[in-house]
Amino acid sequence: MKSDHQLVIYNSLSGKKENFVPLHEDHVGMYVCGPTLYSEPHMGNMRTFINFDFIYRCLLYLGYKVKYVRNITDAGHITNSAGQELDSIGSAARSAQVQSLEIVYTYNVKFQELQRVYNLLPPSIEPTATAHIQEQIEVIEQIIENGFAYVVNGSVYFDVKTYMQQHNYGALSGRKVDELEQETRTLNAQGEKRFFADFALWKKANPEDMQVWRSPWGNGNPGWHIECTAMSTKYLGKQFDIHGGGLDLKFPHHEDEIAQNCGSFGCNPARYWMHANMLNVNGQKMSKSLGNYFLPKEIVNGTSALFTKPYPAAVVRFFMLQAHYRSTLDITEEALNASEKGFERLMEGLSLLEKLTPSNSSSFEVAKVLSAAEAAICDDFNAPILIASLFDAVKYIHAINEGKEQLTQEDLLWFTHAMNTFVQDVLGIEPSKKEENQRLSGVMDMVITLRQQAREQKDWTASDMIRDGLEKAGIQIKDSKDGTSWS
RNA sequence: GGUCUCGUGGCCGAGCGGCUAGGCACCGGUCUGCAAAACCGUUUACUCCGGUUCGAAUCCGGACGAGACCUCCA
């Protein structure tokens, strides 16, 4: 690790910030629960992926060699909370009258495209559940062998009661099983389960299931949580450094993952559990069931009913990083507009930085400005503080430009390189690329010359007509001492 | 109902015992033919009531309000 600051991470398991010490020096293994591809991920899903992408980038910045695994759920999850069975991938496929494979493939292509648009670094590996059925079966067999699961009528259930004799079920979510029991006792038909809190590791196939695999217990589907245990173990080992996901996965998904890992390999899979908070719309969690969601592509192409205009993906990303990953974030047009302005200010600062002229001496310490940014990264990946420190740096950039502050050639290069690293590599914000349209710029040069002539002749009517006309066409004229520019 | 989290200025959002967060908006200024843009400066705050403390937005207790999880969910 190249930073002077000690990296501190908030661990959901302990509820505290802890010094980060990787299992293997300079290496980090990180597993993040990815999307379920029976529909297109919405903006709330994207926030989680953006947050973990930022965390991934921070770790890389700090000099760690990171193995980042983010799974893709393409196997149907079966639930039977109230005796009602639901295969989400299967249902979507049936209604669309196409094979489930086709659905999953279609959404996967869209998801990959979204990752490019939102500038997410590709994970080291993106394993799919369907390609790891064998591994899942092997983990289940191990759990059975260890006595923490039982087979009933072609299904396999995790035996929470037996598990609790040796392990702490509820360590992550803070749930007590006897409390859970009081809550659920009245509701549900226990069915095949021996104990209400038991959960399915393998579920016997239903006649209408589209996805069915062979197993030692007959044809069926893997349970909802087993894929993550199988894939994280395969690619990162029985224990690794960081396990992340959305806050809503804490219980039961992550709790059950811990149980499965302890039940098969005897240890909690991850040393640090990290949970990203939700994206809210009007104070409520964005979710499919509430119907208050919009898609990441809709905000970019301006087709979301919530917003009056499109916002570049980089602006949306910037907006999200202005809040800490552990806080909820409310998305509104007003807030987005504020971020867009700030985003432009930062970008203009960066482009001005490239044009600064060096001096013989430096009037301030570059290291001090940069240190604040690095400290923010190390303090539980505090993106908003990082951004605030970059705005502080922008003030210095303008001061240098106005001759109020100076930097030597050497310091200026250092400053420039660091700023670009923080913005592009760490925040993952690509500077807005000006579309270099040769023909348009030729025309604009001419129009500006015409207007300049009118101005020199004090023909304000003509000059304002040109200015207003361009404004209507979405081109803004900027007059300054050094001449006129447009954007 | 149970478990938990949160309530910060016009908006979004950091901070989490003493030190300006930041962005946007507002206001003032510089610049300008007038604008716009840009830059500079700047006002406004910690839901309420108690307690601990020399000192609390920050810790403790209570009230009110909001949200999450307990069911697929990032």
Side-chain angles (χ1 to χ4, degrees):
Chain A
M1 173 159 149
K2 71 182 180 185
S3 171
D4 298 335
H5 299 90
Q6 166 67 47
L7 174 60
V8 171
I9 295 180
Y10 180 87
N11 191 348
S12 298
L13 207 50
S14 64
K16 289 180 192 142
K17 283 185 182 177
E18 298 175 5
N19 285 342
F20 179 68
V21 182
L23 243 25
H24 308 286
E25 202 178 347
D26 296 331
H27 291 260
V28 175
M30 176 163 84
Y31 185 93
V32 172
C33 293
T36 301
L37 292 176
Y38 62 86
S39 64
E40 209 168 327
H42 62 238
M43 205 61 231
N45 299 301
M46 276 308 286
R47 157 128 118 130
T48 297
F49 302 139
I50 288 171
N51 274 138
F52 281 104
D53 180 63
F54 171 69
I55 287 164
Y56 178 41
R57 288 163 177 275
C58 286
L59 292 167
L60 293 175
Y61 170 80
L62 293 171
Y64 290 111
K65 292 187 177 68
V66 187
K67 192 162 172 187
Y68 174 24
V69 181
R70 189 185 59 211
N71 70 301
I72 287 174
T73 297
D74 57 352
H77 282 185
I78 303 162
T79 76
N80 67 342
S81 54
Q84 177 191 26
E85 311 228 330
L86 204 158
D87 175 343
S88 36
I89 288 178
S91 329
R94 271 192 302 280
S95 62
Q97 294 296 308
V98 287
Q99 294 296 310
S100 59
L101 185 66
E102 195 177 336
I103 291 241
V104 164
Y105 179 75
T106 304
Y107 288 125
N108 196 197
V109 168
K110 289 184 180 181
F111 182 59
Q112 298 303 324
E113 172 61 16
L114 275 179
Q115 290 193 67
R116 274 191 296 280
V117 171
Y118 280 88
N119 203 27
L120 301 183
L121 290 177
S124 316
I125 310 170
E126 281 186 275
T128 61
T130 51
H132 296 79
I133 300 295
Q134 187 53 40
E135 286 84 347
Q136 297 181 62
I137 289 172
E138 283 165 17
V139 174
I140 296 170
E141 284 177 324
Q142 184 62 247
I143 297 173
I144 295 173
E145 199 181 312
N146 293 352
F148 296 121
Y150 54 92
V151 182
V152 180
N153 187 28
S155 294
V156 184
Y157 292 96
F158 192 91
D159 186 347
V160 172
K161 237 176 186 167
T162 305
Y163 175 81
M164 282 196 302
Q165 289 165 8
Q166 291 172 42
H167 300 276
N168 178 11
Y169 185 79
L172 178 68
S173 61
R175 265 161 228 283
K176 306 274 184 292
V177 169
D178 37 331
E179 281 166 2
L180 279 171
E181 183 163 26
Q182 288 180 346
E183 295 152 26
T184 12
R185 191 188 284 152
T186 47
L187 312 172
N188 102 45
Q190 286 295 306
E192 299 169 336
K193 293 184 198 173
R194 289 183 191 166
F195 185 53
F196 78 97
D198 293 350
F199 54 91
L201 297 173
W202 187 266
K203 193 73 183 140
K204 186 185 180 179
N206 284 312
E208 67 270 24
D209 283 343
M210 294 197 72
Q211 293 174 304
V212 172
W213 288 273
R214 270 187 292 211
S215 80
W217 316 286
N219 290 346
N221 294 273
W224 349 329
H225 318 297
I226 199 71
E227 66 174 86
C228 288
T229 301
M231 293 190 281
S232 67
T233 304
K234 177 167 182 177
Y235 297 106
L236 295 170
K238 292 168 184 170
Q239 197 174 38
F240 48 93
D241 298 296
I242 297 172
H243 190 129
L247 192 58
D248 49 359
L249 294 182
K250 201 170 179 181
F251 187 89
H253 183 61
H254 290 159
E255 195 66 67
D256 289 349
E257 252 190 272
I258 292 175
Q260 289 166 351
N261 221 82
C262 289
S264 52
F265 311 120
C267 60
N268 188 313
R271 305 256 301 246
Y272 303 86
W273 283 84
M274 298 182 69
H275 291 97
N277 218 138
M278 304 290 103
L279 180 66
N280 287 181
V281 178
N282 297 323
Q284 267 194 316
K285 172 186 170 183
M286 181 178 286
S287 78
K288 218 150 252 178
S289 43
L290 286 170
N292 62 344
Y293 67 94
F294 59 88
L295 302 178
K297 69 175 181 203
E298 291 175 332
I299 195 168
V300 169
N301 61 212
T303 51
S304 166
L306 258 78
F307 307 105
T308 57
K309 69 185 191 80
Y311 293 87
V315 168
V316 178
R317 188 179 163 109
F318 182 73
F319 165 74
M320 297 201 160
L321 292 174
Q322 276 188 300
H324 188 86
Y325 78 89
R326 279 193 288 120
S327 301
T328 53
L329 171 64
D330 247 288
I331 189 162
T332 59
E333 176 132 56
E334 197 180 0
L336 216 40
N337 279 333
S339 279
E340 184 169 43
K341 286 288 190 70
F343 174 85
E344 280 160 11
R345 181 172 149 79
L346 184 60
M347 289 304 127
E348 293 198 9
L350 278 189
S351 75
L352 183 58
L353 183 55
E354 306 285 341
K355 298 167 194 152
L356 295 180
T357 46
S359 303
N360 293 324
S361 62
S362 295
S363 61
F364 68 95
E365 288 181 50
V366 172
K368 208 176 163 187
V369 179
L370 302 182
S371 172
E374 203 163 275
I377 290 170
C378 290
D379 184 13
D380 198 26
F381 312 105
N382 197 322
I385 295 286
L386 168 63
I387 289 172
S389 77
L390 296 181
F391 278 113
D392 188 42
V394 168
K395 279 204 189 336
Y396 278 105
I397 292 170
H398 288 297
I400 295 169
N401 187 231
E402 286 158 26
K404 291 174 189 160
E405 299 277 2
Q406 293 84 232
L407 281 185
T408 61
Q409 174 88 39
E410 192 188 0
D411 279 353
L412 194 54
L413 281 174
W414 177 21
F415 193 36
T416 307
H417 177 259
M419 286 297 286
N420 285 327
T421 301
F422 284 130
V423 173
Q424 292 177 41
D425 298 348
V426 181
L427 289 176
I429 307 285
E430 291 298 327
S432 40
K433 285 170 204 132
K434 290 246 163 67
E435 299 270 317
E436 283 305 326
N437 186 328
Q438 294 257 319
R439 294 169 74 182
L440 179 61
S441 63
V443 172
M444 283 306 296
D445 285 350
M446 193 183 74
V447 172
I448 285 172
T449 307
L450 282 173
R451 177 161 170 276
Q452 192 52 38
Q453 283 172 3
R455 294 180 75 204
E456 278 159 15
Q457 289 159 20
K458 299 201 190 300
D459 182 357
W460 309 128
T461 317
S463 102
D464 288 356
M465 192 189 78
I466 292 170
R467 185 172 70 197
D468 296 345
L470 288 173
E471 181 88 46
K472 274 188 186 168
I475 294 171
Q476 191 174 52
I477 289 286
K478 294 177 190 174
D479 293 326
S480 73
K481 277 176 285 195
D482 310 321
T484 300
S485 61
W486 60 276
S487 61

